Each structure stands twice: as structure tokens, then as C-alpha cells.
Amino acid sequence: MIQLACILLLVTLPWSESASDPNVVCPVGKELTIKEAPWLASIRSNNRHICIGSIINPKSVLITASCLVQRNRTAVWSHHMSNVTVRVGNADRDSGAGVAVCDIIYHPREKNFHLDSALAMLKLCKPLTPSAEVQEIAIVDKQPPKDAKASLSGWGSLTRWGMRHTHCKVIARQQDVQLIDVKACAVERTKHFKYARLERTICSSKISNFCSFDNGSPLLIDGKLAGILNIGSCNLKPDVYVNLFSVRNWIESKAKDKK
């Protein structure tokens, strides 16, 4: 019975049918040099990559809260801060300089499971040294048009639901995407929108069953950070992002170095 249950579980997982096909499981897009996306950061726990972050300033990295907080029906757990580090300055996800994290600030709405505010700010123990390979990214200063063209960058879905797709390269990639009307997105992502407001959310369409990038991947419009990937998949359902324009004041206030 245990064997049968395991087989049934594998059949029901969305990625299971394509997990053996590297052309489907691995994200698409062109490979990047780090100078093309110097704001990318690999967030790590016990030196294992767990999600993607965006450098907001030399001491602040923005991530999705789901990177560090996991919920189930009975418990909430998080990575211990002493185990969390940030690695920057290299297109190879597992290379580059590592910096310790001294503080984690969660968006106040996130604790009540508001997925449209599922953000956290990592405060680094030491400031990053800006260079051609390490740079901050500015936040958008206006509401993104619902049909805007954008680009998504990051590493592959190597840790989707705790499963590792080891045949995927760990080199940063970029994929052009098209935003779609959030109301149409809500029709396909009904579970997500039970806990998210339309005006605080951005969605982009998918044209094939490639897996989304890791959670936290930055969505850029006209060279500015517009969204943080919150919900992705290995199917045709839209990718869902926190709309950073709606929380820009919180980001700017928490990114300030108060020391």
C-alpha cells in the first residue's frame, strides 16, 4: 500500500510527467553574464541555494517571504538566521562571494498569509562592494501597464517543492515575458487570489510548459524592478508576482540603513 501511495503521489504532481525531460523541466531563455544582471543574488541556507534575491542597496536584498517561511496545516517554520547567507557577483549560482545575514524583516501583511505582500528584506552584516558584477536595482515608480513587456531573470527551478532537478544548468538566464490582465490571471490562479488583491499582483503568461524560475526571481520593466516571483509552475498557468509598486514605500523604508 505504501508503494502504491508513493506512485499515486508522483502521478499527481504537476512536474512529474516532465521531470525526465530536460527540455521541459529546465527554464528557457538566454544565458546571462553577471554583468547583464548584477543585482541577482543566490539566497542560501547551510550553503544550499533556496531562492533568488534582488540587491536593493549594498546592505539590503529583497526576497519573497516563502523563501524562508514554509507553512502547512499545523505549523510554521523558518530558516535560522545564522544559517542564511547571500551569494553575489557570479552568473554561476554556486560561485561568488558570500555575505552573512544579520536581520530579516518581513512585510507586516505577510504574517496573516497575504500572498500579495509575501516579501522579506534581508539586512546584510557587511555592505556589498559595488562593481560591474554587483549592483543595486531600482524599483519602478509607476503602476506597470497590464499588457507591458517585461523580462524575468534568475536560475532554474532546481528546488521546486524540495525536489532537485540536477540536470539543469545553474547559470543565470533571462526570459522575455508578456504581462496579462490580472483579472484573467485570477481565473486560472483561484487558490492564490483567495489571499491576494488584484491591485497588489502582477501576472505574466506562459507559452509552453517550461518550469518557472525560482521563487524570488526579479521581473524587470524598462530596466526597473517591477515584481518578485511568488507563484510559478511547470505548466501553462500564469506566473504570479508581488507588484512592487504597491509596496514601494515599505521597501524604501526598510532598505534604509539606520545605523
Side-chain angles (χ1 to χ4, degrees):
M1 289 296 294
I2 294 177
Q3 287 182 329
L4 177 59
C6 292
I7 292 172
L8 290 174
L9 175 62
L10 287 173
V11 171
T12 59
L13 289 175
W15 48 264
S16 61
E17 294 181 356
S18 60
S20 62
D21 184 353
N23 294 319
V24 175
V25 171
C26 298
V28 298
K30 71 168 186 175
E31 289 189 7
L32 296 175
T33 67
I34 196 58
K35 291 182 179 179
E36 294 176 287
W39 50 83
L40 282 179
S42 169
I43 313 304
R44 312 179 75 82
S45 176
N46 294 318
N47 202 32
R48 180 177 64 88
H49 175 81
I50 53 176
C51 72
I52 296 172
S54 298
I55 301 171
I56 302 302
N57 65 31
K59 289 198 69 174
S60 305
V61 176
L62 186 66
I63 64 170
T64 175
S66 62
C67 176
L68 299 178
V69 177
Q70 299 291 329
R71 294 179 173 83
N72 58 34
R73 294 180 181 177
T74 60
V76 176
W77 63 268
S78 63
H79 293 270
H80 193 277
M81 189 169 63
S82 63
N83 298 330
V84 179
T85 57
V86 174
R87 184 171 286 180
V88 299
N90 203 302
D92 185 331
R93 190 199 67 190
D94 296 326
S95 300
V99 181
V101 173
C102 278
D103 194 14
I104 303 172
I105 306 171
Y106 293 94
H107 191 284
R109 281 172 52 85
E110 192 279 332
K111 66 181 180 180
N112 294 321
F113 206 60
H114 291 288
L115 297 181
D116 52 30
S117 304
L119 296 173
M121 184 77 70
L122 303 183
K123 305 300 289 187
L124 306 182
C125 299
K126 295 181 180 180
L128 301 172
T129 301
S131 67
E133 292 79 20
V134 179
Q135 294 182 22
E136 62 188 59
I137 182 73
I139 307 296
V140 292
D141 53 9
K142 59 184 179 181
Q143 177 73 19
K146 64 180 181 180
D147 58 349
K149 293 183 179 180
S151 65
L152 186 66
S153 56
W155 292 282
S157 304
L158 307 187
T159 54
R160 180 70 58 194
W161 297 313
M163 301 298 294
R164 290 183 57 81
H165 303 308
T166 55
H167 56 272
C168 298
K169 288 185 178 181
V170 292
I171 302 299
R173 292 179 176 271
Q174 177 180 297
Q175 173 69 19
D176 292 334
V177 296
Q178 178 76 50
L179 300 195
I180 61 173
D181 184 78
V182 180
K183 292 182 179 179
C185 178
V187 174
E188 298 191 63
R189 291 289 192 181
T190 53
K191 183 177 180 180
H192 175 86
F193 281 92
K194 289 180 180 179
Y195 309 97
R197 295 180 183 176
L198 297 178
E199 67 273 15
R200 290 176 174 264
T201 308
I202 298 175
C203 294
S204 67
S205 61
K206 294 176 71 173
I207 60 175
S208 64
N209 287 336
F210 65 85
C211 283
S212 305
F213 289 112
D214 272 352
N215 281 356
S217 294
L219 180 79
L220 269 65
I221 298 176
D222 296 330
K224 293 184 177 181
L225 188 60
I228 292 292
L229 183 64
N230 194 9
I231 299 293
S233 61
C234 295
N235 53 38
L236 286 172
K237 287 189 176 183
D239 284 341
V240 183
Y241 312 80
V242 177
N243 181 351
L244 298 187
F245 178 71
S246 68
V247 290
R248 179 173 173 168
N249 290 340
W250 178 84
I251 295 172
E252 291 179 343
S253 66
K254 299 307 176 185
K256 291 179 180 177
D257 189 353
K258 298 181 180 180
K259 293 184 179 181

